[in-house]
Amino acid sequence: MTYDPSNIFAKIIAGEIPSHKVFEDDTALVMMDIFPQSRGHTLVIPKAQSRNLLDADPAALSAVMPLVQRVAKALMQTTKAGGIRLAQFNEAPAGQTVFHLHFHLIPAFEGVAMGAHASGRADDAELAQLAKKIASNL
Ligand code: 5GP
């Protein structure tokens, strides 16, 4: 399987498609998932081109994990979640739908079931507000 540079996350990284951005530097972009499985569902996306974990450069993987941790902590603080799920899918049979490496951070709330993967679209105003709050807690 080869990397297809026309995937939607590549277009978001290139600035061709808008997103509710939480953070960006030379190596990664963090944004709200527009079909969240819970309030605050955030994606951490390394900018280096790879489909997923299987073809990623190990150096890119080790560079991004501290950011994943930082965002997880900011999400806990912002959403007051009781826990957080880190998820990452590799190829379609495993549930991957966008073929550019990304890490899901999904806040978990006691007694609240998580929504289905990539289903209902969130309200843009709410996502914009959340992105701002998470960014301020990074
Ligand atoms: P995957 O199934 O590949 O692990 O996850 C892709 C994720 O990207 C899904 O959770 C889906 O909701 C999200 N997603 C798909 N298209 C867009 C988009 O255009 N913008 C944002 N922010 N998220 C998207």
Side-chain angles (χ1 to χ4, degrees), residues 8-9 12 17-20 31-37 41 43 88-89 95-99 102 104 117-119:
I8 190 136
F9 289 176
I12 289 173
I17 291 177
S19 66
H20 295 291
M31 67 176 181
M32 306 311 297
D33 194 307
I34 52 170
F35 304 98
Q37 286 180 259
H41 185 164
L43 300 171
Q88 191 275 314
F89 303 98
Q96 187 175 10
T97 58
V98 177
F99 297 94
H102 55 279
H104 296 259
H117 183 53
S119 54

Side-chain angles (χ1 to χ4, degrees), residues 1-15:
M1 297 280 193
T2 53
Y3 179 82
D4 175 2
S6 67
N7 73 78
I8 190 136
F9 289 176
K11 289 180 179 166
I12 289 173
I13 289 168

Side-chain angles (χ1 to χ4, degrees), residues 102-135:
H102 55 279
F103 298 86
H104 296 259
L105 285 167
I106 312 171
F109 303 91
E110 194 66 50
V112 181
M114 271 183 195
H117 183 53
S119 54
R121 202 186 189 298
D123 177 68
D124 276 310
E126 195 192 340
L127 290 183
Q129 200 178 28
L130 263 171
K132 228 178 183 175
K133 279 191 196 158
I134 299 162

Side-chain angles (χ1 to χ4, degrees), residues 37-119:
Q37 286 180 259
S38 74
R39 183 173 168 273
H41 185 164
T42 299
L43 300 171
V44 179
I45 310 173
K47 289 188 175 176
Q49 295 192 339
S50 73
R51 282 174 69 81
N52 52 46
L53 183 72
L54 302 171
D55 62 337
D57 180 347
L61 292 175
S62 50
V64 79
M65 286 319 284
L67 178 61
V68 171
Q69 183 193 40
R70 223 175 118 199
V71 176
K73 288 180 176 178
L75 273 173
M76 292 291 287
Q77 194 183 341
T78 306
T79 64
K80 313 290 180 226
I84 196 152
R85 182 178 293 175
L86 170 61
Q88 191 275 314
F89 303 98
N90 300 285
E91 300 302 334
Q96 187 175 10
T97 58
V98 177
F99 297 94
H100 180 112
L101 176 64
H102 55 279
F103 298 86
H104 296 259
L105 285 167
I106 312 171
F109 303 91
E110 194 66 50
V112 181
M114 271 183 195
H117 183 53
S119 54

